[in-house]
Amino acid sequence: MSIEEKDLPFDEKIIINKWSHKNMTIEDYKKLHEKTIANIEEFWSSIAKELDWFKPWDKPLVADPQPPFYKWFAGGKLNASYLTLDKHVASWRKNKVAYIWEGEPVDSKGNPTEVRRLTYYDLYREVNRLAYAMKTKLGLRKGDTITIYMPMIPELPIVMLAAARLGVIFSVVFSGFSATALADRINDAKSRVIFTADGFWRRGKQVRLKEVVDEAIKSAPSIEKVVVYRRLGINDVPMTQGRDQWWSDLLSDVPVNAYIEPEHVESEHPLYILYTSGTTGKPKGIVHDTGGYLTELHATMKWVFDIKDDDVYWCVADIGWVTGHSYIVFGPLLEGATIVMYEGAPDYPAPDRWWQIIERYGVNVYYTTPTAIRTFMKFGDEWISKHDLSTVRLMHSVGEPINPEAWRWAWKWIGRNEIPFGSTWWMTETGGILVSHVPGWGLIPLKPGTNGMPIPGVDADVVDDEGKSIQGKRGYLIIKKPWPGMPLTIWGDPSRFVNVYFSKFPGVFYAGDWAIKDDDGYIWVLGRADEVIKVAGHRLGTYEIESALISHKAVAEAAVVGVPDQVKGEVPVAFVVLRSGNAPSDELRKELRVWVRQVVGPIAEPSNIIFVSKLPKTRSGKIMRRLVRQVVMNQPLGDATTLEDETSIDEAKKAYDELRKEIGST
Ligand code: WTA
């Protein structure tokens, strides 16, 4: 939900007294922060040294071949699987629980019927076995790419870690994406192997996955092998001989103590590709390196989450998104944490499932989302009030701006009005958290709704159209110096990397977010400044939904905009021009909504479809989405001088008003 400037309680500050960790004044933090950004190379080297390197780096930062392409810790060698597993197995953490996994199904009393606890040693063994099979049976080698399309089960991080052990570059595709979206991502990464499952549980129903993979492979010829994990145990899973293989068969003759030497990869070796939405064209494959990325995760796990060995840590994201990559897999495993992982829906079988989980495992550090909080607010206080959540000592949210009302509700009900609760800002591209209320070495005063301050070693600012630093006014969020979690590039498209992120303000990273820097230097991220929307925190390009609509035979043109929604933050609304010979109807509206679900995935389904005869365009034919959005929001149009045909706006307004009357919404 983008937040309006006028709604922000700029002067509110909350000091948390009952906090075991250090409190810091804004001034003290600023002084320390300035020192760190004065010499980022020295500062980040001091953090990177805390990881175990097979070979130390020669230089902390090298532009290669020129900015904005950088190698962090150039010349250094390490391995992500070694650092997250072998290191702990060689220590007292060997038999410490790494993952507590809870499946969705429950018995008649509402208790979970499937809970798995995997120690670091268990995980180490499974990862080694799989890496052994990947290498000896699937012929995977350093630099190969694979796609992972799996639900929230421990085998998902196991595949990621086994790939990392071999230096195989993996691309995880969110299991809610459609066959078309999956095929696009396989083709872009040119993956040889895909790992999937027969399905998973969601709201008491079995969701089948393998069939989606089969459909995707029809147009993804690079795939040679499909490995299927039996999560549900359904019998009629179609298997193609010679191509498809059950996970259990692949591993049946691999010894329990199989060991694969972790590949000593260069610091800049790509750990993974993660596709994310932008404004135009196909999704971008953001590439993260190994050494810089892990350094940033190590720092933020310590600073932002204050992670301790006796903590139970829970991040509610799906591993299909960056939050899961960084803060369910690599970050917490690097620190040897005990991590809760849950398969299913937050409200199944009742709206207190998440509170049960916190209570059952005694969660201490909790990473959540604004959409989830707003959903629970709607269910009513009775669901949360009956649970003892007093173990939670620190919490954060992520993914979209948090409105002060949702912040207060969560702080009261989960945080007992006494624990630190921040809204961490970051994005797929940044690798890890960059702005927080616990930025480093302590906690600064909380301001509900704000993101806090840039972490040490990160030079973030808010600028106007000319790139001039501004305070107290809305501007663009930028990052002025390289940071270790930055992307290496966009997979296969380095010039796009430069154009998208480093050309609006030459040489500095443009995040694409509106933000305000207030008088204390706190950052308030307000929402996207481009044609990207966040639906329940999930990032989508409006063009993806438009392309899906246009691929339907009845549709000539489409314009999609994000509009505020009380729970999901934003939802897509589509204006559609039909091809001649097609008439608007409720059936067609329904059909198009289903169509978008099928082409992109359920999260992309427009909440409304409005039929019009033309779209507002500039004289050069560009759709003016800003005007479309203003119509939907019932706002004054502002500058409409470049509009080619004013009647298009009148028509859109009329059509939208009629639809509103019909469905009775305001
Ligand atoms: C938005 C998710 C406000 C922002 C980690 C950003 C936020 C986009 C916050 C990236 C926050 C993320 N407050 N907005 N705490 N966190 N965003 O790539 O618009 O899925 O650009 O990464 O989410 O989304 P992505």
Side-chain angles (χ1 to χ4, degrees):
M1 187 181 302
S2 61
I3 292 184
E4 294 293 321
E5 225 169 300
K6 61 179 174 17
D7 298 334
L8 302 179
F10 277 113
D11 44 359
E12 183 173 8
K13 289 194 189 87
I14 301 172
I15 312 274
I16 304 287
N17 292 317
K18 267 195 166 180
W19 167 239
S20 56
H21 205 49
K22 203 167 111 190
N23 279 325
M24 290 185 98
T25 65
I26 295 171
E27 284 320 309
D28 284 350
Y29 179 70
K30 268 192 191 157
K31 264 187 232 146
L32 277 170
H33 181 258
E34 267 158 34
K35 271 195 210 148
T36 65
I37 54 173
N39 191 340
I40 52 167
E41 299 185 19
E42 187 182 271
F43 176 70
W44 283 113
S45 294
S46 71
I47 309 289
K49 276 192 194 122
E50 294 173 13
L51 305 178
D52 277 6
W53 294 74
F54 296 131
K55 177 177 174 291
W57 56 92
D58 305 318
K59 289 208 174 120
L61 184 63
V62 178
D64 180 29
Q66 74 271 323
F69 300 95
Y70 290 99
K71 282 181 179 168
W72 274 93
F73 312 116
K77 291 196 171 175
L78 74 174
N79 183 286
S81 158
Y82 175 84
L83 287 167
T84 50
L85 300 172
D86 305 43
K87 222 189 118 186
H88 303 310
V89 166
S91 78
W92 67 268
R93 292 196 189 92
K94 178 175 176 182
N95 296 318
K96 179 179 173 179
V97 173
Y99 284 115
I100 305 173
W101 175 83
E102 188 170 301
E104 194 194 69
V106 287
D107 63 18
S108 57
K109 294 204 179 82
N111 293 317
T113 52
E114 291 170 279
V115 176
R116 290 166 66 190
R117 283 186 171 78
L118 282 95
T119 64
Y120 276 91
Y121 192 47
D122 293 332
L123 205 56
Y124 168 85
R125 288 210 148 172
E126 290 311 312
V127 167
N128 268 290
R129 291 182 72 220
L130 184 64
Y132 181 94
M134 279 182 173
K135 186 171 177 173
T136 59
K137 298 187 172 182
L138 301 173
L140 289 167
R141 293 281 178 276
K142 180 183 172 201
D144 286 347
T145 49
I146 61 166
T147 294
I148 309 174
Y149 184 66
M150 290 181 84
M152 283 290 284
I153 53 176
E155 282 64 28
L156 170 50
I158 287 171
V159 183
M160 295 161 81
L161 293 164
R165 198 163 187 89
L166 300 173
V168 168
I169 305 162
F170 61 84
S171 152
V172 178
V173 178
F174 173 53
S175 58
F177 274 134
S178 68
T180 317
L182 175 59
D184 287 349
R185 286 156 177 78
I186 296 172
N187 287 332
D188 191 79
K190 298 195 178 58
S191 296
R192 290 180 45 208
V193 178
I194 180 164
F195 285 81
T196 188
D198 54 353
F200 60 98
W201 290 99
R202 188 82 188 172
R203 288 212 170 77
K205 291 206 178 74
Q206 294 189 328
V207 180
R208 300 174 71 106
L209 273 191
K210 172 63 169 49
E211 285 81 346
V212 185
V213 172
D214 289 343
E215 186 59 34
I217 292 177
K218 285 185 194 158
S219 49
S222 62
I223 293 291
E224 295 162 15
K225 297 275 178 210
V226 182
V227 180
V228 190
Y229 183 80
R230 226 188 268 271
R231 155 70 189 119
L232 294 174
I234 38 188
N235 287 327
D236 55 343
V237 179
M239 297 291 275
T240 302
Q241 263 229 318
R243 187 195 72 182
D244 303 352
Q245 197 171 5
W246 291 107
W247 174 296
S248 51
D249 292 342
L250 181 71
L251 289 174
S252 61
D253 55 353
V254 179
V256 280
N257 62 349
Y259 171 76
I260 286 285
E261 171 89 23
E263 192 79 28
H264 294 196
V265 304
E266 301 75 22
S267 176
E268 72 277 11
H269 182 68
L271 179 61
Y272 64 78
I273 309 167
L274 181 54
Y275 288 88
T276 190
S277 300
T279 42
T280 50
K282 55 184 184 166
K284 300 172 286 200
I286 299 298
V287 187
H288 280 297
D289 77 343
T290 307
Y293 176 71
L294 295 181
T295 299
E296 186 177 319
L297 295 187
H298 169 58
T300 51
M301 282 308 300
K302 292 245 182 261
W303 295 336
V304 180
F305 293 107
D306 182 41
I307 195 77
K308 300 277 195 300
D309 258 314
D310 54 1
D311 279 330
V312 173
Y313 163 95
W314 186 23
C315 164
V316 303
D318 190 291
I319 295 175
W321 307 94
V322 75
T323 306
H325 282 59
S326 296
Y327 295 111
I328 300 178
V329 184
F330 292 103
L333 289 177
L334 208 50
E335 305 309 306
T338 295
I339 308 152
V340 172
M341 186 175 168
Y342 170 56
E343 175 186 39
D347 55 352
Y348 183 86
D352 61 344
R353 181 67 181 264
W354 274 11
W355 316 134
Q356 279 186 22
I357 292 175
I358 291 185
E359 203 174 21
R360 191 153 33 243
Y361 306 111
V363 171
N364 306 108
V365 177
Y366 178 55
Y367 199 21
T368 188
T369 70
T371 289
I373 293 170
R374 290 189 294 261
T375 308
F376 290 123
M377 282 170 77
K378 232 179 56 179
F379 288 138
D381 300 348
E382 65 272 25
W383 292 103
I384 190 164
S385 63
K386 57 183 173 193
H387 294 280
D388 175 8
L389 309 181
S390 61
T391 51
V392 181
R393 65 173 185 88
L394 169 63
M395 61 193 269
H396 290 293
S397 83
V398 64
E400 41 174 331
I402 184 155
N403 45 314
E405 198 196 349
W407 189 94
R408 290 200 172 283
W409 187 88
W411 196 49
K412 173 181 171 193
W413 286 108
I414 310 167
R416 312 174 299 284
N417 291 331
E418 64 180 29
I419 68 168
F421 175 23
S423 167
T424 58
W425 177 86
W426 60 295
M427 37 196 315
T428 306
E429 291 82 344
T430 69
I433 294 164
L434 293 194
V435 181
S436 168
H437 281 99
V438 203
W441 313 304
L443 169 72
I444 54 173
L446 297 180
K447 292 192 190 188
T450 164
N451 302 101
M453 301 259 215
I455 63 168
V458 167
D459 194 4
D461 202 0
V462 176
V463 296
D464 63 12
D465 279 307
E466 275 72 53
K468 240 182 55 223
S469 181
I470 49 170
Q471 216 151 358
K473 274 199 297 234
R474 190 178 88 160
Y476 304 103
L477 184 60
I478 59 159
I479 302 161
K480 294 196 275 197
K481 290 185 179 164
W483 71 99
M486 68 189 297
L488 282 172
T489 185
I490 291 178
W491 185 254
D493 204 348
S495 58
R496 193 170 171 206
F497 178 65
V498 179
N499 291 339
V500 173
Y501 304 111
F502 293 92
S503 61
K504 187 170 172 78
F505 304 108
V508 302
F509 178 84
Y510 167 66
D513 276 326
W514 290 120
I516 298 176
K517 187 167 76 171
D518 72 14
D519 293 342
D520 291 319
Y522 278 54
I523 305 236
W524 302 69
V525 173
L526 305 170
R528 297 291 307 180
D530 55 12
E531 280 144 14
V532 167
I533 57 175
K534 298 286 318 249
V535 182
H538 301 319
R539 182 166 160 184
L540 285 170
T542 47
Y543 79 90
E544 286 172 272
I545 308 173
E546 289 168 3
S547 326
L549 285 163
I550 294 164
S551 69
H552 187 280
K553 61 182 187 322
V555 176
E557 284 184 298
V560 171
V561 293
V563 301
D565 178 87
Q566 290 240 312
V567 172
K568 292 184 179 172
E570 273 185 306
V571 289
V573 166
F575 286 74
V576 166
V577 178
L578 294 175
R579 282 178 192 277
S580 58
N582 294 281
S585 69
D586 280 346
E587 287 71 54
L588 185 55
R589 190 174 280 141
K590 220 177 278 163
E591 187 178 322
L592 291 178
R593 288 173 66 154
V594 173
W595 178 261
V596 173
R597 285 177 74 93
Q598 281 164 356
V599 177
V600 188
I603 51 167
E605 180 180 338
S607 69
N608 274 319
I609 290 180
I610 298 112
F611 295 112
V612 286
S613 68
K614 51 186 174 285
L615 294 171
K617 286 185 185 164
T618 61
R619 279 176 205 106
S620 57
K622 195 169 174 293
I623 297 172
M624 295 182 78
R625 288 190 191 76
R626 177 177 61 81
L627 294 186
V628 178
R629 188 160 189 274
Q630 274 149 341
V631 165
V632 177
M633 305 275 295
N634 221 351
Q635 284 172 345
L637 289 190
D639 181 13
T641 47
T642 51
L643 187 63
E644 189 205 31
D645 177 357
E646 277 183 28
T647 61
S648 61
I649 284 288
D650 299 336
E651 191 200 338
K653 251 193 193 141
K654 220 171 121 223
Y656 191 60
D657 284 344
E658 270 166 24
L659 181 75
R660 257 199 298 226
K661 261 185 242 144
E662 238 172 76
I663 58 176
S665 77
T666 49

